[in-house]
Amino acid sequence: MRLLVTGGAGFIGANFVHSAVRAHPEYAVTVLDALTYAGSRESLAPVEDQIRLVQGDVTDAGLVSRLVADSDAVVHFAAETHVDNALADPEPFLRTNVIGTFTVLEAVRRHGVRLHHVSTDEVYGELALDNPARFTESTPYNPSSPYSATKAAADMLVRAWVRSYGVRATISNCSNNYGPYQHVEKFIPRQITNVLTGRRPKLYGSGANIRDWIHVDDHNDAVWRILESGQPGRTYLIGADGERDNLTVLRTLLKMMGHDPDDFDRVPDRAGHDLRYAIDPSSLYDELGWAPKHTDFDEGLRATIEWYRNNESWWGPLKDAVEARYEQRGQ
Ligand code: NAD
Ligand code: DAU
């Protein structure tokens, strides 16, 4: 199996590549990654001798076509992913998420290669806080932010390429991931590293917003399952029944780190902040027999805190610049 992983130097992609090399040392894994601010060679250092890393842009049609021609399957993670950055400057999101996915689709169409497209639950918009409904494959798309709008556009392109050109593609829409190698701009690593650097954690608005947390290894395990056994043309929702509001996550994290649970700052809310995401993963459970392994969120959070404690050399160089950007935005 020759596997091409776009965005494999980012958070989820790097964890995916680690597990690919562990589970299938016989596979030839190529990573295509532009190494933007969100990608790093260091995230692939533990497997650098077992993979090929190509630094390049997913919108580079010639390069993508050449790499796809040499592959049996593509897993497409590459994207601009941070909602706050999309609000500040949406243009790179249009380019990478929409044109990048178009570029990948044209290459897999030309060379007849299997594609798995990695997407997000944010394409469905927000759920109410006081209604138990969850997202399913048939929930209408209703994205709120420039980020989720570009991911929704990319998903629509994939569906159209399946229907119009018979491209063999699956799509997954996953909930919020946590775990090692996540950029310190994101909620959980930002708060852990704020505590580790003597800063106060920052909570947007009331903290009532709910996210449906899943360990990154469970997300990637589900992606494998879909790649191997999923039905081309299908969309699968990935989640692990991990709903928690932001205030609860933050207070849990502070307690685990030996701090007063109220030792944080409330900062201005994100514009258009989605209230709640929640995935109904039952068709993935029922049809593909998948189930998450990291079902104890507190245990996963504790291990993630330990990882950041032990890997300051990975995140330390990024931290001041990220906090300076947040400070400019008053957050
Ligand atoms: P990330 O921001 O950590 O990593 C993105 C990677 O893509 C980086 O390595 C970056 O260098 C690369 N990249 C960006 N622009 C590129 C370009 N033009 N060409 C080539 N490479 C480029 O993101 P992540 O959190 O690992 O997310 C990976 C994928 O999973 C994304 O498609 C995202 O939408 C999706 N997703 C993320 C989550 C989550 O909670 N993080 C949940 C569901 C789905
Ligand atoms: O749902 C899947 C999505 O999860 C992915 O598609 C995105 O790529 C990923 O970034 C993530 O999006 P969120 O916007 O939910 O994640 P973020 O880590 O930015 O924020 C999580 C919640 O925490 C959200 O309600 C905003 C809040 N927050 C965030 C930051 C950075 C804070 O309260 N304080 C903060 O400092």
Side-chain angles (χ1 to χ4, degrees):
M1 168 74 114
R2 298 165 304 167
L3 197 60
L4 176 64
V5 182
T6 75
F11 162 46
I12 306 174
N15 281 287
F16 181 83
V17 170
H18 291 190
S19 68
V21 166
R22 256 195 323 268
H24 298 287
E26 74 284 9
Y27 284 10
V29 178
T30 299
V31 169
L32 170 64
D33 199 296
L35 298 178
T36 68
Y37 82 94
S40 97
R41 270 180 205 284
E42 288 73 43
S43 303
L44 292 171
V47 294
E48 66 185 347
D49 296 335
Q50 289 129 288
I51 63 159
R52 177 164 72 123
L53 171 59
V54 177
Q55 182 171 0
D57 201 298
V58 74
T59 63
D60 179 341
L63 174 63
V64 171
S65 179
R66 283 195 298 283
L67 293 174
V68 168
D70 282 340
S71 308
D72 300 309
V74 179
V75 183
H76 178 40
F77 290 99
E80 287 289 340
T81 63
H82 193 39
V83 173
D84 294 320
N85 293 345
L87 291 165
D89 180 13
E91 194 275 340
F93 290 72
L94 270 292
R95 212 178 56 77
T96 293
N97 301 0
V98 183
I99 305 298
T101 301
F102 161 71
T103 308
V104 170
L105 282 166
E106 283 293 82
V108 295
R109 168 160 91 98
R110 185 170 313 119
H111 301 292
V113 171
R114 168 87 167 88
L115 169 67
H116 180 71
H117 171 69
V118 179
S119 190
T120 170
D121 60 358
E122 296 199 16
V123 298
Y124 298 113
E126 69 179 0
L127 295 162
L129 292 178
D130 56 0
N131 179 338
R134 301 195 290 177
F135 299 136
T136 70
E137 285 81 353
S138 50
T139 303
Y141 274 37
N142 188 24
S144 316
S145 73
Y147 162 66
S148 52
T150 59
K151 291 297 290 187
D155 294 7
M156 292 301 158
L157 293 179
V158 177
R159 290 180 181 195
W161 262 240
V162 168
R163 170 92 183 239
S164 304
Y165 302 120
V167 160
R168 287 178 300 133
T170 40
I171 299 176
S172 56
N173 297 82
C174 187
S175 59
N176 282 65
N177 287 217
Y178 72 97
Y181 296 105
Q182 187 168 29
H183 197 278
V184 293
E185 68 190 353
K186 302 282 167 64
F187 180 55
I188 288 180
R190 183 181 184 206
Q191 313 315 336
I192 295 172
T193 56
N194 274 356
V195 174
L196 292 177
T197 55
R199 295 170 165 98
R200 284 166 68 81
K202 304 283 186 273
L203 185 70
Y204 293 175
S206 69
N209 307 67
I210 291 175
R211 295 295 182 264
D212 189 356
W213 294 99
I214 182 172
H215 193 277
V216 63
D217 287 344
D218 282 331
H219 179 185
N220 283 331
D221 195 43
V223 168
W224 272 116
R225 186 67 61 93
I226 296 165
L227 189 63
E228 286 168 354
S229 314
Q231 196 184 318
R234 279 287 308 273
T235 288
Y236 297 90
L237 266 56
I238 307 174
D241 295 316
E243 280 187 73
R244 272 169 187 73
D245 66 66
N246 294 341
L247 178 60
T248 302
V249 173
L250 182 53
R251 297 184 97 231
T252 306
L253 187 153
L254 277 161
K255 275 191 262 175
M256 284 177 181
M257 297 185 78
H259 280 244
D260 186 314
D262 291 320
D263 205 3
F264 63 86
D265 294 332
R266 290 182 191 273
V267 295
D269 208 351
R270 174 182 281 174
H273 196 175
D274 282 339
L275 287 173
R276 172 173 166 253
Y277 305 137
I279 292 273
D280 175 356
S282 47
S283 48
L284 191 60
Y285 284 44
D286 298 344
E287 290 176 36
L288 298 188
W290 175 85
K293 297 190 180 80
H294 297 265
T295 47
D296 183 338
F297 177 74
D298 284 7
E299 192 182 301
L301 189 58
R302 221 173 266 115
T304 303
I305 292 169
E306 267 323 287
W307 189 87
Y308 282 90
R309 260 194 222 291
N310 296 331
N311 288 277
E312 187 167 350
S313 60
W314 181 85
W315 58 264
L318 312 170
K319 183 66 184 168
D320 287 349
V322 165
E323 287 309 314
R325 216 163 42 237
Y326 274 123
E327 207 173 317
Q328 273 172 6
R329 298 175 193 161
Q331 293 179 316

